[in-house]
C-alpha cells in the first residue's frame, strides 16, 4: 500500500492550479446515462473516484472515450444492464448516483446498498423514499436496492427532504428530469455541485429551475440529448491549498478556482488570521497574517455554510492557532478520526460528542500515522507539512480518491513530500 513521506517545516510558495470538482464530475458522469446521445465533459479530475465511476458506466454498457486526459465523451446508447454491483459501490458510495438516471430513463435500477463507511453509517433512505414518491416501487433483495417504475416511467411529485442531502438531491433531479409532469424538491441541497449538474441537465434538454436554492422545480421532458459541459473547479481542493499556505507560513497563488463557492471558508479563515486576496474572479493569493493564527470556533453545516469536507483540514490549522477552538461537526457522526492521529503528532485535542476542542499552538512532531478517509488524509498531510521531522502517512489510497497529483502539486510549491510504494520512493505521479 502506498505511503507518503513528508519532511515538514517548509513554507509553501508559488502557484497551484485547481482541478475539476470531484463531487460535480461524479453526478455529471452519472447524468450521461440519461441519454443515448454523446455527452462530453471537460475538466474531469484524474482521481480514483472518477476512474471508478467511468468503470461503472462501462460495466452498464456505455462507451467512454477520453480524447484528452480530463475530457470524457460518454455515449450510453446500448444500456442492457441496470445494475451497480456491490464490488463498485463498496469502494465508492457515489455509485448510488446511477440509481436516479437508470430509473428515470429505463424505469428500472438495481444498486447494491452501500455499507457503513469510515465517517458514519451514511444511509440512502431519503433517496429511496423520494423515488417512491415519484411512483417507483423500491425493495431490498439480498443487499441490493431494486427500484421499478410501474409503467416504465416515473411521475412528478413534491419531495420535501427531511434532511438536506447532496447526492439525494442530485439523484432526484436526474430521475425527475425524465418523469411525467412536474417535480418540486423542497429543502434541496444548495451546493455549487447541484447547480453544475442542473446546468448540464438543462444543456441536455431538461427543464430545471432553482438549482442552488432550497427549492428546485423540474418539468419532466420526454427525452434528453447530447451536450458539452465543463466541470466547475474543486472548492475543497481550493480550501485545502488555502490551509496549506496558512499552516506552513508560506504564500500560495491559487489559480482556476471559484472564490464565490467558498464564501464561508474564506470568511472563517480570515477570522482566524489568514490573509486572502482575491486577485481576480478565479485567483486567490493566500498567506498567514503577520499577527499569526487565532483560534476560532467553527460548525459544519450544509452549503452555503462551512463544509464538512473542510472540517479536518481546519482542525489541523487550529493546532497552529493561539487559543482554544471548538470544531463542531453536524453532518456526519463519526468524522473525527483524524483527531487521534493529530494527537499522536503532538496536538492537544479533546472530543466530546460532536465537538472537538483544539488547544493551540502545539509544535507538531513527525510520526507514523494512518489516513482513515479522504478529507482526514488531507488534514494529516497538512499537519505533516508543518511538523518537525519526518511523517509517514499510511493508506494514502484515500487521498488518491479525490486529490489529483497531490504529491506533484505540493512538491512544486516546495514541500518535501514523496510517495513510497512498498517502501520505495516512486517518481512523478
Ligand atoms: C456529499 C459529498 C460529500 C460531502 C457530503 C456533505 C458527493 C459525492 N459527496 O455526500 O463529499 O461530505 O455531501 O456535504 O457529493 N443522510 C441520510 N439519509 C440519506 C442521505 C443522507 O440520513 O438518504 C444523511 C447522511 O448520513 C448525513 C447527511 O444526511 O448525515 C448529509 O449527507 P449527504 O448530503 O447525503 O452526503 P452525500 O451526498 O453522501
Amino acid at each position: 500500500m502506498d505511503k507518503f513521506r513528508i519532511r515538514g517545516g517548509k513554507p509553501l510558495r508559488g502557484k497551484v492550479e485547481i482541478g475539476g470538482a470531484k463531487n460535480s464530475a461524479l453526478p455529471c458522469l452519472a447524468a450521461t446515462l440519461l441519454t443515448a446521445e454523446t455527452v462530453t465533459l471537460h475538466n474531469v479530475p484524474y482521481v480514483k473516484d472518477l476512474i471508478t465511476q467511468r468503470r461503472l458506466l462501462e460495466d452498464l454498457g456505455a462507451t467512454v472515450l477520453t480524447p484528452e486526459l480530463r475530457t470524457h465523451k460518454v455515449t450510453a446508447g446500448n444500456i442492457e444492464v441496470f445494475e451497480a454491483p456491490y464490488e463498485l459501490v463498496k469502494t465508492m458510495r457515489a455509485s448510488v448516483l446511477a440509481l436516479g438516471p437508470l430509473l428515470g430513463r429505463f424505469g428500472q435500477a438495481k444498486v447494491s446498498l452501500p455499507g457503513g463507511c469510515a465517517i458514519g453509517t451514511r444511509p440512502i433512505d431519503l433517496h429511496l423514499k423520494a423515488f417512491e414518491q415519484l411512483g417507483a416501487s423500491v425493495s431490498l433483495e439480498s443487499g441490493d436496492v431494486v427500484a421499478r417504475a410501474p409503467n416504465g416511467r416515473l411521475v412528478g411529485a413534491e419531495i420535501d427532504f427531511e434532511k438536506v442531502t447532496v447526492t439525494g438531491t442530485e439523484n432526484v433531479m436526474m430521475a425527475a428530469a425524465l418523469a411525467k409532469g412536474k417535480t418540486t424538491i423542497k429543502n434541496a441541497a444548495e451546493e455549487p455541485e447541484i447547480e453544475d449538474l442542473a446546468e448540464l441537465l438543462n444543456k441536455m434538454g431538461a427543464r430545471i429551475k432553482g438549482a442552488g436554492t432550497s427549492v428546485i422545480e423540474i418539468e419532466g421532458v420526454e427525452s434528453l440529448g447530447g451536450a458539452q459541459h465543463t466541470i466547475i473547479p474543486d472548492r475543497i481542493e481550493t480550501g485545502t491549498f488555502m490551509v496549506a499556505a496558512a499552516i506552513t507560513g508560506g504564500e500560495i497563488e491559487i489559480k482556476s478556482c471559484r472564490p464565490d463557492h467558498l464564501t464561508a471558508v474564506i470568511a472563517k479563515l480570515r477570522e482566524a488570521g489568514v490573509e486572502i486576496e482575491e486577485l481576480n474572479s478565479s485567483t486567490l493569493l493566500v498567506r498567514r497574517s503577520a499577527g499569526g493564527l487565532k483560534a476560532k470556533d467553527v460548525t459544519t453545516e450544509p452549503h452555503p455554510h462551512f463544509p464538512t469536507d473542510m472540517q479536518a483540514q481546519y482542525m489541523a490549522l487550529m493546532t497552529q492557532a493561539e487559543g482554544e477552538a471548538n470544531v463542531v461537526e453536524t453532518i456526519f457522526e463519526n468524522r473525527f478520526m483524524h483527531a487521534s492521529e493529530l494527537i499522536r503528532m503532538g496536538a492537544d485535542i479533546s472530543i466530546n460528542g460532536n465537538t472537538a476542542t483544539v488547544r493551540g499552538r502545539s509544535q507538531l512532531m513527525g510520526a507514523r500515522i494512518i489516513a482513515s478517509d479522504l478529507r482526514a488524509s488531507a488534514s494529516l498531510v497538512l499537519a505533516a507539512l508543518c511538523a518537525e521531522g519526518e511523517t509517514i502517512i499510511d493508506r494514502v489510497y484515500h487521498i488518491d480518491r479525490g486529490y489529483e497529483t497531490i504529491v506533484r502539486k505540493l512538491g512544486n510549491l516546495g514541500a518535501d513530500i514523496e510517495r513510497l510504494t512498498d517502501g520505495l520512493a516512486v517518481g512523478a505521479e
Side-chain angles (χ1 to χ4, degrees):
M1 251 184 274
D2 285 9
K3 300 178 178 56
F4 287 169
R5 175 163 57 206
I6 298 173
R7 296 187 185 94
K10 296 207 163 164
L12 301 194
R13 291 185 196 285
K15 297 180 185 181
V16 69
E17 197 85 33
I18 297 304
K22 166 183 89 74
N23 284 355
S24 185
L26 286 169
C28 286
L29 269 182
T32 64
L33 292 169
L34 283 163
T35 175
E37 292 181 18
T38 302
V39 176
T40 305
L41 298 174
H42 304 287
N43 206 28
V44 175
Y46 185 61
V47 296
K48 219 186 270 147
D49 270 7
L50 268 310
I51 296 169
T52 309
Q53 191 76 332
R54 178 196 173 135
R55 231 194 92 197
L56 171 60
L57 296 178
E58 287 173 336
D59 282 2
L60 294 172
T63 310
V64 186
L65 301 176
T66 44
E68 288 166 47
L69 186 61
R70 292 175 187 81
T71 295
H72 284 41
K73 280 179 92 158
V74 188
T75 313
N78 283 324
I79 301 297
E80 279 150 18
V81 187
F82 307 102
E83 179 179 351
Y86 183 64
E87 193 207 351
L88 286 180
V89 183
K90 75 171 190 222
T91 62
M92 190 186 64
R93 193 180 169 283
S95 330
V96 299
L97 284 166
L99 262 180
L102 288 178
L103 196 53
R105 179 167 159 209
F106 302 103
Q108 55 173 309
K110 186 166 157 187
V111 173
S112 219
L113 200 58
C117 78
I119 63 171
T121 47
R122 299 184 82 174
I124 57 163
D125 56 318
L126 301 175
H127 304 226
L128 303 183
K129 198 172 148 195
F131 291 142
E132 280 178 337
Q133 285 172 298
L134 292 171
S137 65
V138 178
S139 57
L140 192 62
E141 293 170 15
S142 11
D144 295 324
V145 172
V146 182
R148 270 192 196 90
N151 300 314
R153 192 171 180 201
L154 297 170
V155 182
E158 186 173 302
I159 314 283
D160 194 349
F161 278 119
E162 63 198 58
K163 198 170 177 183
V164 175
T165 160
V166 176
T167 46
T169 302
E170 291 163 349
N171 244 338
V172 170
M173 245 167 43
M174 292 188 281
L178 287 177
K180 186 171 162 27
K182 182 176 167 180
T183 297
T184 305
I185 309 177
K186 293 189 174 165
N187 200 24
E190 298 175 37
E191 269 68 3
E193 292 76 20
I194 305 277
E195 268 189 89
D196 203 30
L197 173 65
E199 202 181 309
L200 167 65
L201 292 170
N202 284 340
K203 284 178 188 167
M204 292 165 67
R207 293 176 59 197
I208 302 174
K209 279 197 285 198
T213 75
S214 63
V215 180
I216 302 176
E217 288 177 342
I218 304 148
E219 203 66 64
V221 295
E222 294 288 329
S223 67
L224 294 171
Q228 291 237 15
H229 183 69
T230 301
I231 304 293
I232 54 169
D234 197 304
R235 63 197 163 95
I236 306 302
E237 187 191 19
T238 308
T240 303
F241 278 102
M242 290 167 78
V243 173
I247 206 168
T248 64
E251 181 175 284
I252 304 181
E253 189 176 313
I254 303 174
K255 297 166 78 73
S256 308
C257 64
R258 282 283 297 266
D260 58 320
H261 291 164
L262 284 143
T263 313
V265 171
I266 290 174
K268 184 54 68 182
L269 292 179
R270 280 186 175 143
E271 259 184 68
V274 183
E275 281 180 18
I276 302 162
E277 269 180 71
E278 210 173 310
L279 299 182
N280 57 49
S281 61
S282 64
T283 312
L284 290 171
L285 185 64
V286 186
R287 70 177 90 81
R288 186 195 296 176
S289 75
L293 296 169
K294 298 181 279 284
K296 292 287 167 194
D297 296 345
V298 79
T299 300
T300 63
E301 282 175 83
H303 197 77
H305 302 290
F306 195 92
T308 173
D309 285 352
M310 276 301 295
Q311 178 258 106
Q313 301 88 318
Y314 187 79
M315 192 186 293
L317 185 69
M318 285 300 99
T319 67
Q320 300 308 300
E322 291 297 335
E324 189 173 290
N326 288 317
V327 178
V328 183
E329 172 59 57
T330 72
I331 310 289
F332 293 112
E333 76 266 30
N334 187 19
R335 210 175 195 183
F336 283 149
M337 308 234 290
H338 42 285
S340 55
E341 301 302 290
L342 294 173
I343 291 168
R344 295 189 60 239
M345 297 177 76
D348 181 353
I349 303 171
S350 48
I351 294 187
N352 188 0
N354 68 346
T355 303
T357 304
V358 188
R359 280 164 294 270
R361 169 180 180 265
S362 307
Q363 173 61 60
L364 300 182
M365 308 295 287
R368 288 189 79 100
I369 51 179
I370 296 178
S372 54
D373 68 66
L374 173 57
R375 306 304 169 185
S377 338
S379 131
L380 300 183
V381 168
L382 292 166
L385 289 171
C386 77
E388 204 177 290
E390 183 177 287
T391 297
I392 304 280
I393 307 180
D394 205 346
R395 302 202 188 152
V396 293
Y397 57 82
H398 288 294
I399 207 161
D400 294 333
R401 287 188 38 212
Y403 286 87
E404 187 175 319
T405 59
I406 181 123
V407 169
R408 187 153 71 204
K409 285 186 180 183
L410 288 171
N412 286 345
L413 294 167
D416 187 345
I417 175 169
E418 60 188 338
R419 181 185 290 268
L420 308 177
T421 298
D422 296 329
L424 298 170
V426 292
E429 287 178 312

